Amino acid sequence: MLGQDNASASASSSDPQAQAQAQAAVPLSRYESQKRRDWNTFGQYLKNQAPAVSLSECNCGHVLEFLRYLDQFGKTRVHSHGCVFFGHPDPPAPCPCPLKQAWGSLDALIGRLRAAYEEHGGSSHANPFGNGAIRTYLREVKECQAKARGIPYQKKKKKKKIIITSKSNNNPNDDTSPLTQMA
């Protein structure tokens, strides 16, 4: 056992190929695995375009097309305006409305792809996954899905800080010990 550890340690310190194998032996976290899978899926999507698009040519338009393409694999029923269940959070019966990707899934996907883009040498300033058009699209999907389900998304109100001052027992004019409470 000890001999194997020493042999692998000496091999990995001198041989770059052994280092790569040692890193490959360490299992990736769930997040890292998903990020790698998402990155490969997006790369394959770009290759399948006619004509093929390279990552250096990729822009936010390609990302938006990719997000719309993914809707065909969605599992979230989004009721249309004409549906009798539009605005009902728990419809009592099935309907023919389309299945789409859930907003939360798309938001998480964009976060992973944004990180993967920068890990693969992309500039954070030129990252197509961080473009304002992508944020706008995600916001519209979120609002549309919330209306279709009858669940309004509201921003949570921030708690205001209230500063209460107490006077010390020794000096009634001393206001130097503020206490902060959350209301």
Side-chain angles (χ1 to χ4, degrees):
M1 197 71 154
L2 183 63
Q4 289 175 342
D5 291 339
N6 288 340
S8 63
S10 64
S12 64
S13 63
S14 61
D15 184 15
Q17 189 175 17
Q19 286 178 341
Q21 289 174 348
Q23 288 175 348
V26 176
L28 295 174
S29 69
R30 182 176 178 208
Y31 171 79
E32 291 296 328
S33 297
Q34 186 65 48
K35 184 169 56 171
R36 178 183 289 176
R37 195 168 33 251
D38 292 339
W39 183 252
N40 291 338
T41 301
F42 181 70
Q44 190 63 45
Y45 172 80
L46 291 178
K47 286 179 188 174
N48 290 339
Q49 297 302 300
V53 178
S54 70
L55 283 169
S56 61
E57 297 170 337
C58 175
N59 60 37
C60 70
H62 296 105
V63 176
L64 289 172
E65 290 172 12
F66 177 65
L67 294 177
R68 290 184 190 109
Y69 160 78
L70 290 177
D71 271 342
Q72 66 183 315
F73 307 111
K75 297 176 185 171
T76 301
R77 186 150 325 269
V78 179
H79 301 288
S80 61
H81 287 285
C83 179
V84 294
F85 300 127
F86 182 82
H88 293 281
D90 297 313
C95 70
C97 293
L99 294 173
K100 295 187 176 188
Q101 288 289 335
W103 166 80
S105 298
L106 293 176
D107 188 48
L109 171 71
I110 289 298
R112 291 189 299 268
L113 288 173
R114 187 175 184 176
Y117 180 84
E118 292 178 16
E119 287 177 6
H120 286 86
S123 165
S124 61
H125 299 296
N127 192 331
F129 303 100
N131 189 289
I134 305 300
R135 289 191 296 273
T136 301
Y137 176 78
L138 290 174
R139 185 174 51 246
E140 290 171 357
V141 168
K142 178 181 179 180
E143 291 169 0
C144 174
Q145 289 183 5
K147 287 178 186 174
R149 294 179 56 219
I151 301 172
Y153 279 105
Q154 296 174 351
K155 281 189 173 181
K156 293 182 180 178
K157 294 181 180 178
K158 293 182 181 179
K159 293 183 178 181
K160 295 181 181 178
K161 286 186 180 181
I162 298 175
I163 299 175
I164 301 173
T165 58
S166 67
K167 298 182 183 193
S168 65
N169 293 339
N170 297 342
N171 187 354
N173 297 327
D174 182 18
D175 288 338
T176 59
S177 60
L179 300 174
T180 304
Q181 291 183 342
M182 298 297 276

PDB file of all heavy atoms in Angstrom, residues 1 29 35 37-38 84 86 91 94 96-97 112 118 127 134 163 181-182:
ATOM      1  N   MET A   1       0.817  -1.178   0.000  1.00  0.00           N
ATOM      2  CA  MET A   1       0.000   0.000   0.000  1.00  0.00           C
ATOM      3  C   MET A   1       0.865   1.247   0.000  1.00  0.00           C
ATOM      4  O   MET A   1       0.656   2.137  -0.788  1.00  0.00           O
ATOM      5  CB  MET A   1      -0.898  -0.075   1.244  1.00  0.00           C
ATOM      6  CG  MET A   1      -2.062   0.821   1.227  1.00  0.00           C
ATOM      7  SD  MET A   1      -3.289   0.257   0.034  1.00  0.00           S
ATOM      8  CE  MET A   1      -4.698   0.936   0.761  1.00  0.00           C
ATOM      9  N   SER A  29     -17.589  16.994  -8.654  1.00  0.00           N
ATOM     10  CA  SER A  29     -18.802  17.262  -7.889  1.00  0.00           C
ATOM     11  C   SER A  29     -20.005  17.229  -8.829  1.00  0.00           C
ATOM     12  O   SER A  29     -19.854  17.262 -10.058  1.00  0.00           O
ATOM     13  CB  SER A  29     -18.709  18.638  -7.225  1.00  0.00           C
ATOM     14  OG  SER A  29     -18.775  19.654  -8.204  1.00  0.00           O
ATOM     15  N   LYS A  35     -21.974  21.060 -15.144  1.00  0.00           N
ATOM     16  CA  LYS A  35     -21.398  22.168 -15.912  1.00  0.00           C
ATOM     17  C   LYS A  35     -20.689  21.634 -17.152  1.00  0.00           C
ATOM     18  O   LYS A  35     -20.855  22.176 -18.250  1.00  0.00           O
ATOM     19  CB  LYS A  35     -20.433  22.967 -15.034  1.00  0.00           C
ATOM     20  CG  LYS A  35     -19.866  24.190 -15.706  1.00  0.00           C
ATOM     21  CD  LYS A  35     -19.126  25.089 -14.736  1.00  0.00           C
ATOM     22  CE  LYS A  35     -18.046  24.380 -14.000  1.00  0.00           C
ATOM     23  NZ  LYS A  35     -17.181  25.261 -13.213  1.00  0.00           N
ATOM     24  N   ARG A  37     -21.282  18.757 -18.679  1.00  0.00           N
ATOM     25  CA  ARG A  37     -22.303  18.215 -19.573  1.00  0.00           C
ATOM     26  C   ARG A  37     -23.019  19.346 -20.322  1.00  0.00           C
ATOM     27  O   ARG A  37     -23.244  19.265 -21.529  1.00  0.00           O
ATOM     28  CB  ARG A  37     -23.286  17.385 -18.750  1.00  0.00           C
ATOM     29  CG  ARG A  37     -24.165  16.491 -19.535  1.00  0.00           C
ATOM     30  CD  ARG A  37     -24.934  15.460 -18.714  1.00  0.00           C
ATOM     31  NE  ARG A  37     -25.340  15.846 -17.379  1.00  0.00           N
ATOM     32  CZ  ARG A  37     -24.808  15.352 -16.253  1.00  0.00           C
ATOM     33  NH1 ARG A  37     -23.837  14.464 -16.315  1.00  0.00           N
ATOM     34  NH2 ARG A  37     -25.254  15.743 -15.085  1.00  0.00           N
ATOM     35  N   ASP A  38     -23.359  20.414 -19.617  1.00  0.00           N
ATOM     36  CA  ASP A  38     -24.023  21.562 -20.248  1.00  0.00           C
ATOM     37  C   ASP A  38     -23.123  22.213 -21.296  1.00  0.00           C
ATOM     38  O   ASP A  38     -23.575  22.582 -22.373  1.00  0.00           O
ATOM     39  CB  ASP A  38     -24.420  22.606 -19.207  1.00  0.00           C
ATOM     40  CG  ASP A  38     -25.513  22.115 -18.276  1.00  0.00           C
ATOM     41  OD1 ASP A  38     -26.228  21.164 -18.649  1.00  0.00           O
ATOM     42  OD2 ASP A  38     -25.640  22.693 -17.176  1.00  0.00           O
ATOM     43  N   VAL A  84     -58.311  27.146 -20.090  1.00  0.00           N
ATOM     44  CA  VAL A  84     -59.208  27.335 -18.947  1.00  0.00           C
ATOM     45  C   VAL A  84     -58.456  27.274 -17.619  1.00  0.00           C
ATOM     46  O   VAL A  84     -58.951  27.773 -16.610  1.00  0.00           O
ATOM     47  CB  VAL A  84     -60.364  26.297 -18.942  1.00  0.00           C
ATOM     48  CG1 VAL A  84     -61.272  26.501 -20.125  1.00  0.00           C
ATOM     49  CG2 VAL A  84     -59.819  24.884 -18.899  1.00  0.00           C
ATOM     50  N   PHE A  86     -55.442  28.647 -17.193  1.00  0.00           N
ATOM     51  CA  PHE A  86     -54.487  29.757 -17.106  1.00  0.00           C
ATOM     52  C   PHE A  86     -54.708  30.485 -15.780  1.00  0.00           C
ATOM     53  O   PHE A  86     -55.818  30.885 -15.450  1.00  0.00           O
ATOM     54  CB  PHE A  86     -54.673  30.721 -18.277  1.00  0.00           C
ATOM     55  CG  PHE A  86     -53.691  31.859 -18.264  1.00  0.00           C
ATOM     56  CD1 PHE A  86     -52.420  31.693 -18.767  1.00  0.00           C
ATOM     57  CD2 PHE A  86     -54.027  33.102 -17.737  1.00  0.00           C
ATOM     58  CE1 PHE A  86     -51.498  32.724 -18.770  1.00  0.00           C
ATOM     59  CE2 PHE A  86     -53.114  34.139 -17.727  1.00  0.00           C
ATOM     60  CZ  PHE A  86     -51.847  33.944 -18.242  1.00  0.00           C
ATOM     61  N   PRO A  91     -53.971  22.838 -11.623  1.00  0.00           N
ATOM     62  CA  PRO A  91     -55.143  22.506 -12.441  1.00  0.00           C
ATOM     63  C   PRO A  91     -55.670  21.102 -12.117  1.00  0.00           C
ATOM     64  O   PRO A  91     -54.886  20.184 -11.877  1.00  0.00           O
ATOM     65  CB  PRO A  91     -54.619  22.577 -13.873  1.00  0.00           C
ATOM     66  CG  PRO A  91     -53.151  22.536 -13.771  1.00  0.00           C
ATOM     67  CD  PRO A  91     -52.768  22.996 -12.405  1.00  0.00           C
ATOM     68  N   PRO A  94     -55.797  17.443 -17.011  1.00  0.00           N
ATOM     69  CA  PRO A  94     -54.762  17.720 -18.011  1.00  0.00           C
ATOM     70  C   PRO A  94     -55.274  18.667 -19.103  1.00  0.00           C
ATOM     71  O   PRO A  94     -56.470  18.788 -19.329  1.00  0.00           O
ATOM     72  CB  PRO A  94     -54.426  16.356 -18.588  1.00  0.00           C
ATOM     73  CG  PRO A  94     -55.525  15.458 -18.188  1.00  0.00           C
ATOM     74  CD  PRO A  94     -56.230  16.058 -17.018  1.00  0.00           C
ATOM     75  N   PRO A  96     -53.911  20.597 -23.163  1.00  0.00           N
ATOM     76  CA  PRO A  96     -52.954  20.440 -24.272  1.00  0.00           C
ATOM     77  C   PRO A  96     -51.858  21.513 -24.329  1.00  0.00           C
ATOM     78  O   PRO A  96     -51.147  21.592 -25.316  1.00  0.00           O
ATOM     79  CB  PRO A  96     -53.856  20.537 -25.498  1.00  0.00           C
ATOM     80  CG  PRO A  96     -54.957  21.441 -25.070  1.00  0.00           C
ATOM     81  CD  PRO A  96     -55.181  21.138 -23.615  1.00  0.00           C
ATOM     82  N   CYS A  97     -51.725  22.323 -23.295  1.00  0.00           N
ATOM     83  CA  CYS A  97     -50.702  23.382 -23.314  1.00  0.00           C
ATOM     84  C   CYS A  97     -49.302  22.782 -23.401  1.00  0.00           C
ATOM     85  O   CYS A  97     -49.063  21.669 -22.917  1.00  0.00           O
ATOM     86  CB  CYS A  97     -50.846  24.266 -22.081  1.00  0.00           C
ATOM     87  SG  CYS A  97     -52.365  25.232 -22.075  1.00  0.00           S
ATOM     88  N   ARG A 112     -24.251  28.084 -15.002  1.00  0.00           N
ATOM     89  CA  ARG A 112     -23.188  27.088 -15.243  1.00  0.00           C
ATOM     90  C   ARG A 112     -22.449  27.369 -16.540  1.00  0.00           C
ATOM     91  O   ARG A 112     -21.221  27.276 -16.606  1.00  0.00           O
ATOM     92  CB  ARG A 112     -23.779  25.677 -15.260  1.00  0.00           C
ATOM     93  CG  ARG A 112     -24.265  25.194 -13.908  1.00  0.00           C
ATOM     94  CD  ARG A 112     -24.650  23.725 -13.924  1.00  0.00           C
ATOM     95  NE  ARG A 112     -25.727  23.428 -14.845  1.00  0.00           N
ATOM     96  CZ  ARG A 112     -27.024  23.409 -14.526  1.00  0.00           C
ATOM     97  NH1 ARG A 112     -27.403  23.693 -13.297  1.00  0.00           N
ATOM     98  NH2 ARG A 112     -27.931  23.098 -15.432  1.00  0.00           N
ATOM     99  N   GLU A 118     -15.928  31.127 -19.068  1.00  0.00           N
ATOM    100  CA  GLU A 118     -14.725  31.785 -18.544  1.00  0.00           C
ATOM    101  C   GLU A 118     -13.641  30.771 -18.206  1.00  0.00           C
ATOM    102  O   GLU A 118     -12.455  31.052 -18.380  1.00  0.00           O
ATOM    103  CB  GLU A 118     -15.096  32.651 -17.339  1.00  0.00           C
ATOM    104  CG  GLU A 118     -15.956  33.829 -17.757  1.00  0.00           C
ATOM    105  CD  GLU A 118     -16.415  34.704 -16.615  1.00  0.00           C
ATOM    106  OE1 GLU A 118     -15.848  34.607 -15.510  1.00  0.00           O
ATOM    107  OE2 GLU A 118     -17.347  35.504 -16.843  1.00  0.00           O
ATOM    108  N   ASN A 127     -18.554  37.660 -22.416  1.00  0.00           N
ATOM    109  CA  ASN A 127     -19.284  36.429 -22.146  1.00  0.00           C
ATOM    110  C   ASN A 127     -20.720  36.556 -22.659  1.00  0.00           C
ATOM    111  O   ASN A 127     -21.498  37.354 -22.151  1.00  0.00           O
ATOM    112  CB  ASN A 127     -19.283  36.165 -20.636  1.00  0.00           C
ATOM    113  CG  ASN A 127     -19.763  34.790 -20.291  1.00  0.00           C
ATOM    114  OD1 ASN A 127     -20.560  34.197 -21.006  1.00  0.00           O
ATOM    115  ND2 ASN A 127     -19.280  34.269 -19.173  1.00  0.00           N
ATOM    116  N   ILE A 134     -29.936  38.178 -22.308  1.00  0.00           N
ATOM    117  CA  ILE A 134     -30.189  36.889 -21.666  1.00  0.00           C
ATOM    118  C   ILE A 134     -30.944  37.113 -20.356  1.00  0.00           C
ATOM    119  O   ILE A 134     -31.921  36.413 -20.058  1.00  0.00           O
ATOM    120  CB  ILE A 134     -28.872  36.118 -21.393  1.00  0.00           C
ATOM    121  CG1 ILE A 134     -28.055  35.944 -22.669  1.00  0.00           C
ATOM    122  CG2 ILE A 134     -29.147  34.793 -20.703  1.00  0.00           C
ATOM    123  CD1 ILE A 134     -28.742  35.185 -23.765  1.00  0.00           C
ATOM    124  N   ILE A 163     -31.749  51.463  14.561  1.00  0.00           N
ATOM    125  CA  ILE A 163     -30.669  51.668  15.529  1.00  0.00           C
ATOM    126  C   ILE A 163     -31.276  52.238  16.798  1.00  0.00           C
ATOM    127  O   ILE A 163     -31.919  53.286  16.779  1.00  0.00           O
ATOM    128  CB  ILE A 163     -29.573  52.603  14.977  1.00  0.00           C
ATOM    129  CG1 ILE A 163     -28.969  51.959  13.728  1.00  0.00           C
ATOM    130  CG2 ILE A 163     -28.524  52.881  16.033  1.00  0.00           C
ATOM    131  CD1 ILE A 163     -27.970  52.829  13.031  1.00  0.00           C
ATOM    132  N   GLN A 181     -30.912  46.393  15.782  1.00  0.00           N
ATOM    133  CA  GLN A 181     -31.901  45.331  15.719  1.00  0.00           C
ATOM    134  C   GLN A 181     -32.485  45.287  14.335  1.00  0.00           C
ATOM    135  O   GLN A 181     -32.593  46.299  13.666  1.00  0.00           O
ATOM    136  CB  GLN A 181     -33.033  45.591  16.719  1.00  0.00           C
ATOM    137  CG  GLN A 181     -32.621  45.462  18.159  1.00  0.00           C
ATOM    138  CD  GLN A 181     -33.823  45.657  19.087  1.00  0.00           C
ATOM    139  OE1 GLN A 181     -34.822  46.195  18.682  1.00  0.00           O
ATOM    140  NE2 GLN A 181     -33.678  45.210  20.323  1.00  0.00           N
ATOM    141  N   MET A 182     -32.879  44.077  13.946  1.00  0.00           N
ATOM    142  CA  MET A 182     -33.553  43.923  12.651  1.00  0.00           C
ATOM    143  C   MET A 182     -35.050  43.937  12.925  1.00  0.00           C
ATOM    144  O   MET A 182     -35.534  43.250  13.799  1.00  0.00           O
ATOM    145  CB  MET A 182     -33.162  42.598  11.995  1.00  0.00           C
ATOM    146  CG  MET A 182     -31.687  42.479  11.695  1.00  0.00           C
ATOM    147  SD  MET A 182     -31.112  43.696  10.535  1.00  0.00           S
ATOM    148  CE  MET A 182     -31.549  42.888   9.046  1.00  0.00           C
TER     149      MET A 182
END
